[in-house]
Amino acid sequence: MVLGKVKTLAVCFDYLNDNNVPVYSGGDSVSGRVIIEVTGEVRVKTLNITARGVAKVRWTESRNAGANTAYTQNYTEEVEYLNHSDTLIGEERDEDSPEEALTVLNTGLHEFAFSFLLPQMPLATSFEGKHGSVRYWVRAELYRPWLLPFKVKKEFTVFEHIDINTPLLLAPQAGTKDKTLCCWFCASGPISLSAKIERKGYTPGESIQIFAEVENCSSRVVVPKAALSQTQTYFAKGKARQLQQQMAALRGDTIPQGKSQSWDGKLLHIPPVSPSILDCPLIRVEYSLVVYVDIPGGLNLSLSLPLVIGTIPLHTFTNRTSSISSYCSTISWPERPEAPPSYSDLLVTEEQRWGCLERCEGSEVNEEDQGTLRAYITEFRYQPPPLYSEVDPNPEPGCGGQEVRRPDLCPSR
């Protein structure tokens, strides 16, 4: 008897984004299919899937301890966010046993659906770095009698959403620094730098408006610059290791001595970068806008403004609210408001009331409604307001109808 062969074993996800990449977040349902293509007749014991999510950190440090001796220390840590398994064909796999029931797959394509829920807790965003990573995947394992298992793994992406429409991330960021250059024989004037941005939170694809002022009172020619900096921090065994990268940069014009330069909303575009990772115990990914003055032959004057790269962009109504607020601040309101109308202007005269009755009698309503309406209008009178009295006509229990000199001593109804 000629046994069949497995041509294809693949994992496909049902939900894909615009780039055909499966993207999920905490609490979402992950669903998909395991596709098996066979030729001939294939006997299967079990088909299992395993979903896992792991944050892993690893780096090595070496130290020389003498002429010919080197000391090497490995730092490794791992945190598990997801561990789910399910059996799509057969029962839980056991050692090869003739009593196990087998499932026969004939020639063609066979699909087996799967689904599971991601944990409701905050999950670390998928990330790939030099010394660590955060990965999520689904592994399918096909077991057949007397043959090695057939395995395939497919990764999916998890985003821990960061909404930049929060008061903390919408707050402006600003700072000021100055520096004086000097040497053994001379001293020059200071170089001052001030910078401001509209908010702290941004999303990839946006541009940061930079407002900056640089004053060069030194004897050197300097250049203002700005850069988007990413800082990756890895933690393992009580130690930390950092890696900094420049993701985007821009350059201003040179500033001769005694001159100054202003940036009135100079734009720095944010490229496609990983969102900030702030809650993972092993990996942190942080961003900052570094505005600095490049000083030839000296240390740069640098100013760092913290940033958070989020996943939920700025709402349109937020921009509209800020524009309305700025518009209202420019309106010149009258110094004194208009006085309200007097009570006599609102008083209904007897002629107006009888005119209302005549109009009601001429309208097309039944006699019962006319009588009710006439009785209501006849009885209704606009009486003048009661005269003011310092004695409360309806005193609270315990007040005894005493004179009310202060409202807080005996509040009236």
Side-chain angles (χ1 to χ4, degrees):
M1 178 179 178
V2 179
L3 297 179
K5 295 183 178 181
V6 178
K7 292 184 59 179
T8 304
L9 177 63
V11 175
C12 298
F13 294 97
D14 293 336
Y15 175 76
L16 301 175
N17 64 0
D18 295 338
N19 298 323
N20 291 328
V21 177
V23 180
Y24 305 92
S25 59
D28 286 350
S29 175
V30 181
S31 62
R33 294 157 291 135
V34 177
I35 300 176
I36 306 175
E37 183 181 3
V38 300
T39 57
E41 186 178 276
V42 175
R43 293 179 295 173
V44 177
K45 293 171 63 176
T46 58
L47 172 62
N48 303 325
I49 65 159
T50 303
R52 292 199 66 198
V54 175
K56 185 181 294 186
V57 169
R58 178 183 176 86
W59 77 84
T60 302
E61 291 184 2
S62 299
R63 295 183 179 88
N64 293 328
N68 301 318
T69 305
Y71 172 77
T72 301
Q73 177 67 45
N74 293 325
Y75 295 90
T76 305
E77 290 285 353
E78 182 175 308
V79 172
E80 185 176 75
Y81 285 96
L82 172 66
N83 193 342
H84 171 83
S85 60
D86 196 6
T87 301
L88 305 183
I89 297 180
E91 300 177 353
E92 292 294 333
R93 190 178 71 88
D94 196 359
E95 298 296 331
D96 292 339
S97 171
E99 298 180 358
E100 284 187 299
L102 299 179
T103 300
V104 177
L105 301 180
N106 296 319
T107 301
L109 287 174
H110 304 267
E111 296 186 0
F112 302 90
F114 66 87
S115 66
F116 58 90
L117 289 176
L118 294 178
Q120 292 287 349
M121 67 178 187
L123 301 177
T125 297
S126 300
F127 176 75
E128 292 291 333
K130 182 177 180 180
H131 303 298
S133 63
V134 181
R135 297 173 182 168
Y136 299 85
W137 68 87
V138 171
R139 184 193 300 273
E141 300 176 344
L142 180 67
Y143 292 92
R144 298 163 292 173
W146 310 107
L147 294 173
L148 293 175
F150 207 112
K151 301 180 181 180
V152 65
K153 183 172 77 171
K154 183 69 173 291
E155 293 190 2
F156 60 93
T157 302
V158 169
F159 273 152
E160 181 58 31
H161 286 300
I162 301 176
D163 189 356
I164 69 171
N165 300 278
T166 61
L168 179 62
L169 300 185
L170 293 177
Q173 305 294 305
T176 302
K177 274 191 176 181
D178 58 70
K179 181 177 183 179
T180 301
L181 304 179
C182 62
C183 60
W184 287 102
F185 305 104
C186 64
S188 63
I191 301 174
S192 61
L193 167 65
S194 61
K196 178 182 178 181
I197 55 177
E198 295 178 327
R199 46 191 160 95
K200 185 178 181 180
Y202 291 87
T203 53
E206 286 189 283
S207 294
I208 305 174
Q209 280 192 313
I210 306 174
F211 300 87
E213 181 76 26
V214 180
E215 187 175 0
N216 181 20
C217 296
S218 70
S219 58
R220 305 184 191 182
V221 177
V222 300
V223 182
K225 298 179 180 180
L228 174 64
S229 176
Q230 181 195 72
T231 302
Q232 303 173 12
T233 308
Y234 303 90
F235 302 93
K237 296 182 178 180
K239 295 201 66 175
R241 189 159 191 174
Q242 279 194 343
L243 176 66
Q244 288 190 340
Q245 300 183 70
Q246 182 174 292
M247 313 305 293
L250 61 84
R251 172 192 174 103
D253 300 328
T254 57
I255 305 177
Q257 57 181 346
K259 300 293 184 179
S260 62
Q261 186 177 135
S262 297
W263 287 0
D264 189 12
K266 201 173 184 68
L267 297 179
L268 175 63
H269 182 73
I270 302 177
V273 295
S274 170
S276 299
I277 301 178
L278 306 175
D279 297 326
C280 181
L282 301 185
I283 301 175
R284 287 181 66 88
V285 178
E286 299 169 296
Y287 293 89
S288 61
L289 174 67
V290 182
V291 183
Y292 63 99
V293 180
D294 189 359
I295 304 173
L299 296 177
N300 295 338
L301 174 61
S302 179
L303 181 62
S304 180
L305 303 178
L307 296 177
V308 172
I309 302 299
T311 59
I312 301 178
L314 190 68
H315 296 328
T316 54
F317 74 85
T318 305
N319 286 330
R320 182 181 178 186
T321 303
S322 60
S323 62
I324 291 175
S325 300
S326 60
Y327 171 74
C328 291
S329 62
T330 60
I331 297 178
S332 58
W333 300 99
E335 296 181 358
R336 298 184 61 182
E338 182 181 356
S342 63
Y343 181 78
S344 60
D345 295 337
L346 301 177
L347 187 63
V348 179
T349 63
E350 197 71 20
E351 295 179 359
Q352 293 173 334
R353 183 164 57 253
W354 285 111
C356 181
L357 279 172
E358 293 176 357
R359 287 193 299 271
C360 291
E361 291 177 353
S363 60
E364 296 181 357
V365 294
N366 56 46
E367 294 181 358
E368 182 180 355
D369 291 341
Q370 281 188 3
T372 304
L373 183 61
R374 183 183 303 125
Y376 172 75
I377 297 178
T378 304
E379 292 180 3
F380 186 75
R381 296 290 187 273
Y382 284 100
Q383 299 294 336
L387 297 177
Y388 172 75
S389 174
E390 292 187 350
V391 178
D392 188 358
N394 300 305
E396 292 286 343
C399 292
Q402 298 177 358
E403 290 189 359
V404 181
R405 297 297 182 181
R406 293 174 53 190
D408 56 334
L409 293 180
C410 182
S412 62
R413 296 181 182 177

